[in-house]
Amino acid sequence: MKIYNTITKKKEPFIPLEEGKVKMYVCGPTVYNFIHIGNARPMIVFDTVRRYMEYRGYEVNYVSNFTDVDDKIIKKALEEGVSAQEISERYIAECKKDMEMMNVKPAVTHPLATQEIGGMLEMIQQLIEKGYAYAVNGTVYFRTRKFADYGKLSHKNLDDLRSGSRSLLVSGEDEKEDPLDFVLWKPKKEGEPAWESPWGQGRPGWHIECSVMSKKYLGEQIDIHAGGEDLVFPHHENEIAQSEACNGREFARYWMHNAFLNIDNRKMSKSLGNFFTVREISEKYDLQVLRFFMLSAHYRSPLNFSADLMEASRNSLDRIVTAAENLKHLMGNAECNAMTESELALYEASQEFVKKFEEAMDDDFNTADAIAAVFELVKYLNTHTDGAHTKEYLEKCLERLKTLCEILGLIAEKKEELLDEDIEALIEERQQARKAKNFARADEIRGILLEKGIVLEDTREGVKWKRA
Ligand code: AMP
Ligand code: ZN
């Protein structure tokens, strides 16, 4: 298995630190709103990496955080007149629903920044003791130049950075020893959440969160650290500086970064306003289609979102599901059970497509080629299965197709549609739950319906629903 490592700019064979185990950390979203489909790209891509590693027999300790303290969360809380915690809890819950609908497995641990402040204070203290950090007026900065390897991930040269950051000198951050120094701890501002620290009340900087959570849940050294390519600099570069300065050893062996999901060839982002939330997309498409669309390109290639590509993805996915449904149908009617010799030969010949699939995935997770191998298998199965075949053969064929789909996180099954009366009954139950102030159940019902492609709209005349 080869992985493209951002730090060496090369595809390298994957050698785990500990045999049979993978320690993997993926930077998660900042939770102040529904996630957009750009945020969904790393979730889907790295979930697929995890699934493939598991298929290859590795035990994957997968950790992905939620950044639940941040300027944007605080801003949203002020706008709504609620606490920052209420905002982050709400959107973590929504994000988890989106993940489930995209068939993204929950991480082994989803740490929250606000629950790990003690560890952050400890690491900051250690960095100060080692001379890598200093406090000024309640702010603690990292002494960037002291870390000799700074820039090794993003391949940036300190002097270029220095000339590029001159504006910082006039932006009121002149208490820093050097404009390149970055914040580890910032002092409390009125109305903001804050924690006690040796440097006064305040809150952590963003980068220190991941260094601390990764160390706590995976150890000082990990196999894979991943995220979107916008995180290479400064986020991941700063994480390396903090972790390696503190622990005195290499932080992550492999650094993986997905390219952007674009729209009209520009990065999809909240700040540009050119985004679709995952939830919006779920009203039009089964999120399996979104997942298929994301995996139809290599994760390091930019991907342009368009309705045409989504339609093409829907059709392609349908072809796979139809092949699987046909096999099931044939199995239901098959009379004879045990596989014959000639069927065994046919089945073994289909191994060729599994091999192609594995070769593609072994080559830095080339999901585009892996999907092509799945289609070759589909074509093969469509031409080599009919009503005359035995149940065992058909079963094996279906299992082979399902296994490959599952690695990609695609469910090769037709979703059972809810009948109108079932929908009405669930909506009624939701209304009752709301009346009884059981909002958890009400939300749950909305989620169940959404998963089946039923979208609810609360209007003055009552609840309306439609099929996506
Ligand atoms: P954020 O909440 O902005 O910190 O983003 C969470 C994750 O989504 C990070 O790994 C980002 O790099 C990634 N991300 C954000 N926007 C995009 C995009 N348009 N395409 C791909 N990845 C993105
Ligand atoms: Zn991070």
Side-chain angles (χ1 to χ4, degrees):
M1 197 185 299
K2 282 192 170 167
I3 298 183
Y4 180 89
N5 193 349
T6 309
I7 206 161
T8 57
K9 293 188 177 174
K10 282 196 196 96
K11 279 187 201 168
E12 295 173 13
F14 177 68
I15 304 163
L17 290 163
E18 201 181 323
E19 212 183 306
K21 297 201 170 159
V22 181
K23 299 185 186 80
M24 181 163 180
Y25 186 96
V26 181
C27 291
T30 307
V31 276
Y32 64 102
N33 213 325
F34 286 95
I35 57 161
H36 62 69
I37 55 176
N39 302 132
R41 191 170 188 193
M43 288 179 181
I44 292 172
V45 158
F46 298 117
D47 177 62
T48 306
V49 168
R50 170 192 187 174
R51 285 168 183 267
Y52 186 63
M53 295 263 186
E54 286 172 347
Y55 166 76
R56 283 297 203 185
Y58 291 104
E59 188 188 310
V60 184
N61 193 350
Y62 191 98
V63 176
S64 189
N65 66 298
F66 286 112
T67 295
D68 63 343
V69 55
D70 169 270
D71 289 345
K72 296 182 202 118
I73 300 173
I74 295 167
K75 186 165 167 264
K76 177 99 172 173
L78 289 175
E79 278 166 17
E80 288 196 17
V82 298
S83 69
Q85 192 182 347
E86 190 171 330
I87 296 290
S88 59
E89 281 177 0
R90 183 196 308 160
Y91 291 111
I92 287 170
E94 297 298 351
C95 179
K96 286 186 174 170
K97 282 186 213 159
D98 287 341
M99 284 169 65
E100 197 183 329
M101 286 194 284
M102 296 188 292
N103 206 19
V104 169
K105 292 209 248 184
V108 172
T109 316
H110 276 294
L112 305 182
T114 55
Q115 304 302 308
E116 309 290 345
I117 304 290
M120 297 185 208
L121 296 178
E122 207 172 296
M123 188 179 272
I124 296 171
Q125 192 70 52
Q126 282 170 351
L127 287 169
I128 293 177
E129 279 159 21
K130 291 188 174 184
Y132 283 102
Y134 57 96
V136 198
N137 298 329
T139 305
V140 184
Y141 294 101
F142 187 89
R143 199 170 263 130
T144 301
R145 268 177 205 278
K146 186 166 163 69
F147 182 67
D149 280 342
Y150 195 81
K152 70 175 172 181
L153 177 71
S154 52
H155 309 283
K156 287 185 193 293
N157 168 313
L158 278 186
D159 294 320
D160 293 347
L161 282 174
R162 174 75 173 82
S163 55
S165 64
R166 247 180 225 137
S167 57
L168 291 183
L169 285 174
V170 291
S171 66
E173 294 200 30
D174 47 2
E175 59 183 22
K176 288 196 219 176
E177 288 176 2
D178 185 319
L180 292 181
D181 296 349
F182 59 89
V183 173
L184 299 174
W185 185 262
K186 46 184 134 185
K188 176 184 171 146
K189 283 197 205 133
E190 215 25 64
E192 291 189 355
W195 290 263
E196 294 296 336
S197 87
W199 319 285
Q201 287 193 336
R203 61 187 166 101
W206 172 35
H207 316 301
I208 196 75
E209 291 175 13
C210 291
S211 283
V212 168
M213 293 189 270
S214 172
K215 181 173 175 174
K216 175 163 172 191
Y217 294 99
L218 297 171
E220 289 182 354
Q221 200 174 24
I222 69 173
D223 294 290
I224 301 173
H225 196 114
E229 69 181 6
D230 53 336
L231 300 189
V232 174
F233 187 85
H235 186 53
H236 287 165
E237 195 68 66
N238 291 353
E239 279 188 44
I240 292 179
Q242 297 162 158
S243 295
E244 297 192 359
C246 177
N247 305 329
R249 61 197 291 194
E250 184 191 34
F251 179 27
R253 304 298 312 282
Y254 302 87
W255 288 86
M256 295 181 73
H257 294 98
N258 64 274
F260 289 142
L261 177 75
N262 293 332
I263 193 155
D264 299 324
N265 297 311
R266 287 177 83 191
K267 180 194 172 191
M268 184 177 286
S269 75
K270 290 251 164 71
S271 51
L272 289 172
N274 59 350
F275 63 89
F276 291 109
T277 62
V278 169
R279 204 53 68 84
E280 279 168 329
I281 296 299
S282 78
E283 292 176 4
K284 270 192 131 177
Y285 300 93
D286 180 339
L287 291 181
Q288 288 283 300
V289 176
L290 182 70
R291 184 159 184 134
F292 186 98
F293 161 75
M294 294 283 185
L295 298 177
S296 62
H298 189 267
Y299 75 93
R300 283 188 293 111
S301 304
L303 178 59
N304 222 6
F305 181 78
S306 74
D308 284 353
L309 283 176
M310 285 295 282
E311 283 306 320
S313 298
R314 179 173 4 220
N315 294 336
S316 301
L317 192 61
D318 269 355
R319 267 170 59 206
I320 300 177
V321 174
T322 305
E325 290 296 323
N326 279 346
L327 285 168
K328 263 199 237 163
H329 176 74
L330 291 174
M331 266 163 61
N333 295 328
E335 280 176 13
C336 182
N337 278 328
M339 180 145 70
T340 65
E341 291 239 339
S342 65
E343 284 179 334
L344 183 64
L346 277 179
Y347 175 70
E348 279 176 355
S350 72
Q351 174 66 23
E352 180 196 337
F353 310 113
V354 177
K355 198 164 152 264
K356 274 194 182 171
F357 180 97
E358 289 174 353
E359 276 167 8
M361 293 298 277
D362 280 343
D363 182 16
D364 189 32
F365 308 97
N366 191 336
T367 51
D369 285 0
I371 286 177
V374 172
F375 277 110
E376 285 189 59
L377 176 64
V378 163
K379 200 169 152 200
Y380 180 89
L381 297 180
N382 285 345
T383 46
H384 292 93
T385 54
D386 58 38
H389 283 291
T390 66
K391 192 166 180 183
E392 190 187 0
Y393 168 71
L394 296 166
E395 217 163 41
K396 286 244 174 211
C397 288
L398 178 61
E399 196 182 277
R400 178 152 279 173
L401 179 59
K402 276 191 166 177
T403 303
L404 298 193
C405 288
E406 245 169 60
I407 297 168
L408 300 173
L410 299 172
I411 303 165
E413 255 168 39
K414 253 208 167 53
K415 284 210 173 140
E416 280 187 27
E417 290 221 335
L418 278 181
L419 298 172
D420 285 8
E421 53 259 40
D422 297 335
I423 297 169
E424 307 282 352
L426 277 166
I427 291 176
E428 180 51 34
E429 193 192 334
R430 177 168 170 264
Q431 295 301 82
Q432 296 301 333
R434 279 171 140 196
K435 263 194 210 141
K437 297 213 177 326
N438 183 355
F439 297 113
R441 177 63 187 154
D443 274 358
E444 196 184 6
I445 293 173
R446 194 188 189 95
I448 294 170
L449 290 168
L450 209 54
E451 218 169 288
K452 300 276 184 194
I454 310 298
V455 187
L456 300 186
E457 200 189 335
D458 293 308
T459 70
R460 254 185 255 157
E461 296 86 53
V463 183
K464 291 201 172 140
W465 64 269
K466 60 174 192 257
R467 290 183 198 272

